[in-house]
Amino acid sequence: MSAMRRVFALIDCNSFYCSCERICQPELKRRPVVVLSNNDGCIIARSAEAKALGIGMGAAYHKVRHELRRQCVVARSSNYPLYADISNRVMRLMAEMLPSIEVYSIDEAWGNMTGVADPAALGRSIRERLAREIGMPVGVGISTTKTLAKLANWAAKKWKGTGGVLDLTDPVRQEKLLRLAPVSEVWGVGHRSAARLAALNIATAWDLAAFDIGTLRKTFGVTMERTARELRGISCIGLNEGPPPKEAISSSKMFGVRQTELPPIREALAAYVARAAEKLRAQNSLCSSIQVGLQTQLADLNGPRYANAVTLALPAPTDDTREILALAQRGLSQIYRPGYPFSKCSILLMNLSQRGELTPDLFALKPRSGSEQLMKVVDQINQREGRGAVRIGRIPAKPKWAMRREMLSQRYTTRWDELIGVRG
């Protein structure tokens, strides 16, 4: 009896950040929209209408803002709490409709469609439900390997005739798309690899699939060989139902205004530690050591420059924000130098282990009583009421060092005081 053929789906949100902005702001529908990076630095997301105007990804906002206004393009500052909440809603809905999923990034996930009688119909149902219940447009690519499903997703978004869903499980349809798709659109083939492949007359996905496997392995390595096999319909990359725990967790942002005094930098570090510890607990890990970093704007060749970092060990593995913060503040005092215009500080949690994985040290200091329960309650409240509802007392509600976000929309789904209002 032959094994059941595996079928994968890739569900990818269209212009995710821009679509999140549109969900709660209907007036932005059909208008060109761009979303900016931290401190409103550069363009990191563009709606289809903005792309059609020729607005480039990564363009510095201060250089193109006048052109954006001339073309009536709406610019928004990054609203990460809004994006994270909508992403969670999208993933939960997909998990309800598929046997299993693997979250790949904030805006896309793999779905297991093995054994599904009509994968295309399920793909359309997922797309319609996401649009109806959340307002998120997506493309759905379906095939017998992850690489083919990714390519099918690209085609589903590129050609409107697909209706946003493309089932590429049929070998005849696979070959047709492989002959049309540029090799640069294949998952795992970057611009540099595409240029090297072009030197071997490999211009399309079909050329790559048909090329000698041994030569690919010798020239490019195992990853490219695996990609070619996947394009041939041989599944080499399985479905993981959850990402592995991170081996290190960092939190860092550029200050909205450069800081010379130590107190506001301590506030910023406290906020970054709180966020990193929240991520640590979310993956059920403990931290054994930390690295604290501090730097000026190193790209400024005319101003004073300074950068330093210090690594410190915790007395015992912990996920308690208070324990990590106390050590981080001590490290900050060691590397701070008065008078420098600092632009950034950072915290890196290292030597992570899963809770219950390590044998406790009999001679180590005992953790604070009720620490695990307290951190759990804090996380639950912040998940329900919005991040920062309960926070370390050192962190002000409106810090002076916060990122510049002059075009920030409301956190419509995570803050009670920023809910959508309806006027009579």
Side-chain angles (χ1 to χ4, degrees):
M1 184 176 178
S2 60
M4 183 177 293
R5 182 181 64 169
R6 304 179 76 181
V7 178
F8 301 89
L10 180 68
I11 301 98
D12 184 13
C13 301
N14 300 346
S15 302
F16 180 67
Y17 285 179
C18 296
S19 295
C20 289
E21 297 288 348
R22 284 173 160 173
I23 286 173
C24 300
Q25 301 169 79
E27 68 273 16
L28 299 184
K29 296 285 176 70
R30 300 184 183 85
R31 289 192 64 183
V33 179
V34 298
V35 174
L36 308 176
S37 63
N38 294 348
N39 288 312
D40 295 340
C42 59
I43 294 171
I44 57 172
R46 304 162 296 162
S47 67
E49 295 83 358
K51 293 175 184 177
L53 292 173
I55 297 168
M57 178 69 87
Y61 177 65
H62 73 274
K63 292 183 178 180
V64 300
R65 60 184 175 185
H66 296 300
E67 181 63 19
L68 295 181
R69 289 170 186 165
R70 188 186 69 80
Q71 298 192 80
C72 299
V73 177
V74 178
R76 288 285 184 264
S77 303
S78 298
N79 191 338
Y80 298 121
L82 175 67
Y83 307 155
D85 182 68
I86 292 177
S87 173
N88 289 336
R89 294 172 187 231
V90 168
M91 300 307 167
R92 284 198 299 268
L93 191 149
M94 283 194 278
E96 288 178 12
M97 301 188 70
L98 288 157
S100 60
I101 69 167
E102 175 193 342
V103 178
Y104 183 55
S105 68
I106 192 171
D107 63 343
E108 58 186 326
W110 302 101
N112 180 12
M113 286 196 177
T114 302
V116 173
D118 191 341
L122 178 56
R124 288 190 292 271
S125 180
I126 292 171
R127 189 171 188 272
E128 291 164 4
R129 190 172 167 191
L130 284 169
R132 183 178 67 253
E133 298 184 17
I134 300 176
M136 178 58 64
V138 300
V140 182
I142 304 164
S143 197
T144 52
T145 72
K146 277 188 167 182
T147 303
L148 285 171
K150 183 82 169 176
L151 198 62
N153 185 280
W154 167 77
K157 290 186 174 184
K158 183 175 178 61
W159 290 301
K160 292 184 179 180
T162 63
V165 178
L166 180 59
D167 181 356
L168 209 65
T169 53
D170 177 45
V172 175
R173 300 188 76 188
Q174 288 177 13
E175 179 177 340
K176 183 177 179 181
L177 179 58
L178 290 174
R179 289 185 181 277
L180 290 172
V183 72
S184 59
E185 296 297 340
V186 174
W187 184 38
V189 177
H191 293 296
R192 291 183 180 179
S193 297
R196 293 176 63 196
L197 290 168
L200 297 174
N201 295 320
I202 299 175
T204 67
W206 177 259
D207 296 334
L208 179 58
F211 204 79
D212 180 67
I213 290 292
T215 303
L216 285 175
R217 184 185 182 111
K218 290 179 182 177
T219 309
F220 297 93
V222 176
T223 301
M224 191 65 75
E225 175 198 359
R226 186 177 62 183
T227 298
R229 291 186 184 278
E230 287 248 321
L231 290 174
R232 293 181 180 186
I234 303 169
S235 180
C236 304
I237 310 171
L239 188 74
N240 301 314
E241 295 189 22
K246 293 181 179 179
E247 297 181 0
I249 294 173
S250 66
S251 181
S252 173
K253 292 184 178 68
M254 300 290 287
F255 302 141
V257 179
R258 296 182 187 182
Q259 303 294 326
T260 57
E261 302 298 323
L262 184 57
I265 299 176
R266 287 191 181 279
E267 293 176 357
L269 181 62
Y272 303 159
V273 167
R275 179 63 182 131
E278 185 180 274
K279 294 179 181 178
L280 182 73
R281 293 189 291 270
Q283 66 174 36
N284 201 34
S285 294
L286 302 174
C287 168
S288 295
S289 62
I290 65 171
Q291 184 180 86
V292 181
L294 183 64
Q295 68 175 63
T296 61
Q297 180 55 266
L298 301 181
D300 184 1
L301 301 180
N302 298 320
R305 293 190 293 169
Y306 172 82
N308 202 353
V310 61
T311 300
L312 302 167
L314 286 150
T318 184
D319 63 2
D320 190 320
T321 302
R322 299 167 298 172
E323 301 290 347
I324 298 170
L325 179 57
L327 186 62
Q329 297 289 8
R330 197 187 320 159
L332 178 61
S333 297
Q334 294 178 23
I335 60 177
Y336 170 76
R337 298 291 180 272
Y340 282 95
F342 292 105
S343 63
K344 179 181 181 181
C345 73
S346 61
I347 180 71
L348 177 66
L349 308 185
M350 305 184 298
N351 296 330
L352 307 188
S353 58
Q354 291 300 99
R355 182 175 290 280
E357 187 175 83
L358 299 178
T359 302
D361 186 344
L362 293 176
F363 301 100
L365 294 174
K366 291 184 178 181
R368 297 192 193 192
S369 176
S371 170
E372 184 178 348
Q373 292 82 356
L374 175 61
M375 292 297 107
K376 184 177 180 180
V377 170
V378 168
D379 290 341
Q380 288 174 343
I381 293 173
N382 286 333
Q383 287 171 7
R384 185 177 67 247
E385 304 295 334
R387 183 171 298 148
V390 177
R391 62 183 184 275
I392 297 292
R394 186 184 289 274
I395 307 171
K398 295 182 179 180
K400 296 179 180 179
W401 43 263
M403 288 189 299
R404 288 194 310 276
R405 294 195 285 183
E406 297 175 358
M407 293 151 285
L408 182 66
S409 55
Q410 294 175 215
R411 291 161 291 185
Y412 297 99
T413 63
T414 60
R415 299 281 298 195
W416 288 110
D417 57 340
E418 296 184 20
L419 290 174
I420 297 175
V422 179
R423 294 181 180 178

